[in-house]
Amino acid sequence: MRGTVACLLLLLSAGQALGSDSGMEETRRALEEMNRLEQEAFVEGDCDGLLAMLHEDVSFYVNGRKMPRAAVGEFCTRIPRPFPGAAEVETSIEPVGAGAGYVVKVMSFPGTPKVEVVTKIWKRGNDGWKIVHFQSTVMPPRGPSGPRPGAV
């Protein structure tokens, strides 16, 4: 009897794990699409569309300083377009559950030592996918004695 119960528990947990893998892949696809839509809105200057993707209580940090949600709209409307192309963009999209995940972008820019790291945490709620946390940090250039502060 114990062996049967153990087998049933093993099968149930395996089924849940397989289901969660499927849920994680679905979340990854949703995050990829939301990331694409968010970037498209920003590049095209659709600032209202961009703001609609932010949760009303989003935590928003720029270079370590907490900023109000309205600062996103102000920045979006005043930044000159078209953007100069980033020399290199590394994007990592990671689901952390069936309804949440994060996107990390590391961007370097042509002709400058500037590197910007942007992190967005997305959560799915009753009103769809929203960014609940956003941070952007421009890293200082490497000094003559080694890597940037905080680099690993």
Side-chain angles (χ1 to χ4, degrees):
M1 182 69 167
R2 283 186 179 166
T4 303
V5 171
C7 283
L8 286 173
L9 287 174
L10 182 61
L11 286 172
L12 284 173
S13 64
Q16 288 174 345
L18 289 174
S20 65
D21 285 347
S22 148
M24 295 291 261
E25 189 53 40
E26 182 181 320
T27 298
R28 178 182 303 283
R29 285 190 303 271
L31 291 168
E32 287 170 350
E33 178 65 7
M34 294 309 300
N35 181 63
R36 185 189 67 74
L37 292 171
E38 183 263 341
Q39 284 300 291
E40 187 176 280
F42 184 64
V43 168
E44 293 178 3
D46 178 7
C47 301
D48 290 336
L50 181 64
L51 285 171
M53 294 181 199
L54 298 178
H55 189 275
E56 63 186 36
D57 295 323
V58 65
S59 59
F60 178 55
Y61 289 83
V62 176
N63 290 328
R65 294 183 313 154
K66 185 163 177 58
M67 305 291 283
R69 182 179 186 272
V72 176
E74 292 168 12
F75 176 75
C76 180
T77 57
R78 73 168 198 259
I79 190 168
R81 289 177 177 83
F83 301 125
E88 184 177 325
V89 178
E90 294 177 36
T91 302
S92 175
I93 297 176
E94 300 295 333
V96 294
Y102 62 90
V103 176
V104 178
K105 288 189 177 198
V106 179
M107 298 173 282
S108 57
F109 299 86
T112 74
K114 181 172 97 168
V115 175
E116 182 177 6
V117 179
V118 176
T119 305
K120 297 170 192 146
I121 299 175
W122 291 84
K123 185 175 180 187
R124 184 176 53 209
N126 293 337
D127 53 351
W129 285 93
K130 300 286 183 181
I131 297 170
V132 296
H133 176 79
F134 180 104
Q135 79 77 33
S136 172
T137 302
V138 176
M139 304 294 289
R142 294 174 190 252
S145 62
R148 293 182 282 278
V152 286

